[in-house]
Structure formats: structure tokens, C-alpha cells
Amino acid sequence: MSNNVAGVGTRLSAIAIAQDESQLKAVELEKRGGAFEVLWTKSSEVGRTDRRLFAAECGLSVKPTGQAKTDDAKIVVVGFDSAGVAFYRIGVPAAKEEEIAAMVRLQAEARLPLPAEQMELAWRAGRGRDGQMAVTIAAARREHLQGFVEDVRGFRPTKILLDYEGIVKAWRTFFSGNERSAVVVSIGSRNTQVCLAEQGSLINAVSLDTGMKDFSAVQEDSIGGQELAEQTETTERFAQDMRSVMELFGYAEPAELPVFVLSDGSGVIESIVSCLESAGLNVAAALPEIKKLRAQMELGVEDIYEYRVPIGLALMALEARAEELNIFERLYNPAGEGKKKHWLYSTKAACAIAAVMLAGLVIVSYAVDVAGRDAIKKRLRASASEINVNQLMQRQKLIKTVARERPDLLQLLNEINTQDSGGIMLDSFDFKKGRPVTISGQAPGTDQLYKFQAALLNKKGITRVIIQNTSPDTKGKKLKFTIIFHYKSFTMKRTRT
């Protein structure tokens, strides 16, 4: 394929750069009406992964950090290696976006491998069903992301996208993909990306350390008994890894979900598909549809496969729908106007988040409510002319007494979630004054559940922690539970005298 870098005038186009193991690859993709055309492609030499230098070779303006001149007519995107990103799939009650954000943050912090302040998050909600909504969370170490931002700041890309999303996008558009749930397998030279797609979007992903070269090596040497044994071991290990990934995605039966292996038409990929089919997977090779992609040079199946990731990223840039998992949102602002801070992390939003948590997760019944406090203030204003200092002080004490009668539920939620949860995930939190607090969730096993019970008993203000019931979930891998406990004096029944 030609590596000629060509200009495109004022037509709508996007340049995408992605790393493919020890190489950098780029394409410029133009959208004209409803059709797409590859204007040029370019690959760095093996072992050269300097993005600023490669960007300059692609015709982009590269200046010292923070001094690049932005060309508003050119869209430039760069792919981030998603192998450094952890993906989680959680369920939350269907709610408004800001309410979901608070619930996502609460659950994500219990799963993160590092303290929340050292991580960055992005999330995307799927369609709601039966009052529940599935959410995909992407999390990565902030230090790692910041290093990547500094690496690309010199040529100031319009966006930084996850390369796994580019894989799903390329499959959906040029490899006969669809909106049904499916596993998309993209095989590199030394590793394999396994992406779970739903409604045409990435919802989970795993990287395996087996690639084309592992299969090619055993295929070329498989003439003797030892080489044949090595080939069998490689294929069986890969098949087992794929079955494990399917289980991780929530599909215990391998044939439950279709698996599409992106293909260049080579015999190596055909043998991999055959291996997975023998292992009981519902698998098929997905060849690119050349007719869907025009080019100013000769473009074959092998070429589309080689540049599948930057092609997918360029497609995302040209069809921007603001639905990508933007894990760089707080760390990178291409306009150079300072780092954009998402409302979810803002100090000013703390009260709003607290309100959302209480509205979305807690059912609250106050004995002394806001109306009572407002009535006190109204009486204060009405009698302002007759108030002396002593009266004002007495009424101020009354207001403080009202405030003390209101439980700090945000503090209680933090108390429950700040401890080492041991894999405990909360699904609901129910507080009503005069009766025990009820929480429900899932635990990895009975040992972790009992440890969680003991940890709650050690919390100040929490007493009488009782595991009310337990039951295995539908897949038998988690233990569903309900716990009740008392919180200070708020949950105790009071008798009238």
C-alpha cells in the first residue's frame, strides 16, 4: 500500500494515529456524503514509537509542548493503548444522568485497584430494562494517562480515544458487524484484543498475550511430533483463554454469544477460527468489505486489516456522537485553556452529589422535616421587630436542635464504603426513621460477608448488625445478601409520653 501523505483541501477528513505493538500506524479518512475514502496510510519503522516525530512525518504541525498551532479544519485523533485500562460492568437503577454518575462513582471506588485520587474514570450507560441500567466503566491510572498526554501534546490532537473502541467501530462499519451482542477478536502479532460489543459499542474488553506469531511459528514448524505438540498446546491454551474471557463477560456457555474474529483472509486466522470452533465457541471469521471503503491507492483485504484500528478511530472522529469513553476528559483540553474538570469531581458539586445519592439510593422519612425549619425562619422574620437578643439566641438554638435531629446519611454511606470491602458490592440502601437501616448487595462468599458484618459493628454509631438473609445469584458465583442495623438513635422507635 502507498505511504504517500496527500492533502485534501477543505473536505471533511480525519487523521488517526495508533500504536500497534512496536509500530505506529496512521490513516487519513475522508467522509464524502455517506461514503468513506482512505486518502493515505503510513507506518513507522518497527521499534520507532516516537509519536511527535511520526506526527511530523504525517504532515502535522509539531511544536514544543503547548505551542502547537491548531488547524481548525483538520481533525486529528490518537489512540490510547486500552491494555492499560480496566473495564467493569455494573448494574444501577435507571435514573437521571447525574444520579447515575453518583452511583457509578460509589461502586467504582470499591473496585479500583488504587485509591480513587490516583485513578481516572469514564462511564457509559446502556439501555434501561425493568428499572435497571447496565453501565460500562473504564478506569486507568492517572499518572499513566498524564504521561501519554505529555507525549502527544506537541501536535495537539483533537481527541484521545481508546483503541479498543476503534476496533469495535471498524468491525461495526467495515467487517459486517451489527448491533447484537457479540465478541470481537482482533489478533495482533504478539497479543489479542477481545472486545465485548453491545448495540455497536464497547462494553467490556480483555487483552491476551497470544498473537499471530505464536500461531505462525507452530504452523510453519508443525512437521514433527514435537512441533505438532507445541501447536496443539498453543491452540488449546488460546481456546481455554477465550472460554475464560467469555465467562468473565458473563457467558458461562461458550455457544451463547457469537464470536467474530477480524480476518485478513490468511491461513493463520482460518486455523485460529477452526481452533475456537472445535472448542465449542460460536465463531466466524469477519472479512472486511472492500466495497464499503474507497481509496486513492490499491486497497486490499490485508491493508484494511493492517490499519483497522486507526481506521476505526478516524470513523469515530468523523461520526462524533459524544458517546465515547472519554477517560482523558479531565486531563486533556486541545484548546489549551486549562484542564477541563468534570462536574463529578468538582468541589462545588459535593452538595449536589450528596443530594443525588440521597435521592437515588435512599428512601428517607424525616420526623422533623424541612417544612418545620422553614416555619421557624418564617416566624423569626414575622416577629423581627419584637425580637431581643435573648429571644434570637433561643430561636437559633432551636434551629440547631432541628438540624441535629436530621441524620447525616452521606456520612453514613461514606462510613459503609470507606472500609476495605473485600469485594462487597452494595445494590440498595434504605433508611426510614424509627426502623433499622436495610442494605442489600452481593458478596464473593460467606467469609467476606462475615468480615463485612464485623467491620460494620466496629463503626461508630452502628449497632445490632444482622445478616437477615442470603441466597446465591442466578449464576451461583456471588452471594446475595440483606443486612439490617441500627444507626445511632435515629432508627430506634420512640414511645410517646
Side-chain angles (χ1 to χ4, degrees):
M1 178 180 278
S2 169
N3 279 335
N4 179 49
V5 179
V8 294
T10 57
R11 293 170 179 170
L12 180 61
S13 67
I15 295 174
I17 299 173
Q19 184 166 341
D20 183 2
E21 297 180 14
S22 59
Q23 268 186 299
L24 292 171
K25 295 182 179 178
V27 301
E28 182 165 10
L29 192 68
E30 179 185 83
K31 183 177 183 181
R32 193 186 311 172
F36 295 95
E37 182 175 355
V38 175
L39 302 182
W40 54 262
T41 66
K42 190 171 186 65
S43 297
S44 71
E45 295 178 6
V46 176
R48 290 183 57 193
T49 56
D50 186 322
R51 292 182 181 83
R52 291 182 71 249
L53 180 60
F54 185 66
E57 293 174 358
C58 292
L60 299 177
S61 174
V62 179
K63 300 289 184 180
T65 302
Q67 297 180 14
K69 183 178 180 181
T70 303
D71 182 356
D72 294 334
K74 193 179 291 290
I75 302 172
V76 180
V77 296
V78 61
F80 178 73
D81 184 2
S82 305
V85 179
F87 294 90
Y88 304 100
R89 189 74 168 161
I90 66 170
V92 299
K96 295 179 180 178
E97 182 178 353
E98 60 270 20
E99 295 173 351
I100 295 174
M103 290 186 279
V104 166
R105 187 72 182 175
L106 189 67
Q107 288 203 38
E109 289 184 358
R111 297 169 179 251
L112 296 178
L114 294 172
E117 61 270 15
Q118 296 181 31
M119 304 290 290
E120 288 293 323
L121 299 178
W123 63 273
R124 176 170 56 216
R127 294 176 184 172
R129 180 182 297 176
D130 298 328
Q132 292 291 310
M133 187 171 289
V135 176
T136 294
I137 302 173
R141 189 172 181 175
R142 181 175 302 163
E143 184 180 8
H144 190 188
L145 301 178
Q146 288 171 332
F148 189 85
V149 167
E150 293 307 313
D151 194 28
V152 303
R153 197 185 295 277
F155 59 92
R156 192 173 291 174
T158 310
K159 280 187 176 182
I160 303 175
L161 303 172
L162 298 181
D163 58 1
Y164 285 6
E165 292 215 271
I167 290 171
V168 173
K169 185 65 175 178
W171 165 74
R172 179 70 180 88
T173 309
F174 296 126
F175 287 81
S176 303
N178 52 56
E179 292 193 357
R180 293 179 300 172
S181 296
V183 171
V184 181
V185 180
S186 176
I187 306 174
S189 60
R190 289 295 187 191
N191 57 45
T192 297
Q193 291 78 42
V194 186
C195 304
L196 178 60
E198 187 178 279
Q199 298 165 10
S201 296
L202 175 74
I203 64 170
N204 209 337
V206 171
S207 179
L208 303 178
D209 60 0
T210 304
M212 287 274 212
K213 289 188 176 180
D214 298 290
F215 289 97
S216 298
V218 295
Q219 193 173 60
E220 290 170 3
D221 298 331
S222 60
I223 55 175
Q226 182 178 352
E227 288 81 7
L228 183 59
E230 290 177 359
Q231 182 183 29
T232 303
E233 182 183 351
T234 300
T235 55
E236 287 183 354
R237 184 176 69 248
F238 185 72
Q240 180 58 47
D241 287 345
M242 283 296 300
R243 283 195 295 265
S244 298
V245 170
M246 298 284 281
E247 290 182 11
L248 177 68
F249 289 163
Y251 295 86
E253 294 298 326
E256 282 187 69
L257 195 65
V259 177
F260 296 95
V261 180
L262 303 187
S263 175
D264 60 358
S266 68
V268 176
I269 292 185
E270 287 181 5
S271 68
I272 294 172
V273 171
S274 177
C275 153
L276 296 178
E277 191 174 25
S278 299
L281 271 66
N282 178 14
V283 62
L287 286 163
E289 298 177 272
I290 298 179
K291 293 181 180 179
K292 287 188 174 182
L293 192 61
R294 298 197 297 260
Q296 294 187 357
M297 73 292 289
E298 184 179 349
L299 188 70
V301 169
E302 300 88 349
D303 301 313
I304 298 177
Y305 183 83
E306 180 182 357
Y307 290 92
R308 63 197 180 281
V309 177
I311 286 174
L313 295 173
L315 279 168
M316 291 179 66
L318 292 174
E319 297 183 342
R321 296 186 299 174
E323 294 180 357
E324 68 269 6
L325 291 166
N326 188 3
I327 202 168
F328 287 88
E329 184 174 6
R330 294 201 305 147
L331 302 178
Y332 180 69
N333 181 4
E337 298 174 354
K339 296 177 182 178
K340 183 179 179 180
K341 191 169 185 179
H342 195 279
W343 70 268
L344 180 57
Y345 299 88
S346 170
T347 302
K348 293 182 179 180
C351 292
I353 292 176
V356 166
M357 291 172 69
L358 298 184
L361 297 176
V362 186
I363 302 172
V364 183
S365 175
Y366 292 118
V368 181
D369 59 14
V370 176
R373 184 178 56 183
D374 290 342
I376 293 171
K377 291 181 178 179
K378 185 176 180 180
R379 292 190 188 99
L380 283 172
R381 288 194 297 268
S383 58
S385 60
E386 303 173 6
I387 292 176
N388 58 36
V389 175
N390 289 331
Q391 288 175 322
L392 183 59
M393 290 178 66
Q394 290 298 321
R395 285 169 177 153
Q396 188 64 28
K397 286 180 181 179
L398 179 58
I399 292 175
K400 289 181 179 180
T401 299
V402 170
R404 284 196 298 269
E405 286 295 313
R406 302 182 67 192
D408 189 343
L409 296 180
L410 180 57
Q411 180 184 5
L412 177 57
L413 283 169
N414 287 334
E415 284 288 318
I416 294 172
N417 286 281
T418 51
Q419 62 200 44
D420 181 7
S421 65
I424 299 289
M425 292 302 304
L426 296 185
D427 296 328
S428 67
F429 180 104
D430 183 7
F431 177 95
K432 289 184 179 179
K433 199 163 184 181
R435 52 187 266 188
V437 176
T438 302
I439 59 175
S440 63
Q442 299 179 45
T446 54
D447 289 345
Q448 292 87 346
L449 181 57
Y450 291 140
K451 288 179 182 179
F452 181 65
Q453 179 189 29
L456 288 177
L457 283 168
N458 287 329
K459 295 293 182 181
K460 186 177 180 180
I462 295 178
T463 58
R464 302 183 193 176
V465 180
I466 300 171
I467 300 174
Q468 201 170 44
N469 57 64
T470 61
S471 63
D473 66 5
T474 54
K475 295 177 182 177
K477 293 185 178 181
K478 295 282 187 180
L479 190 67
K480 292 186 177 182
F481 67 85
T482 301
I483 289 178
I484 61 172
F485 61 84
H486 283 288
Y487 179 54
K488 297 182 179 179
S489 61
F490 299 117
T491 56
M492 307 290 186
K493 288 187 177 180
R494 296 182 181 180
T495 57
R496 295 184 179 180
T497 57

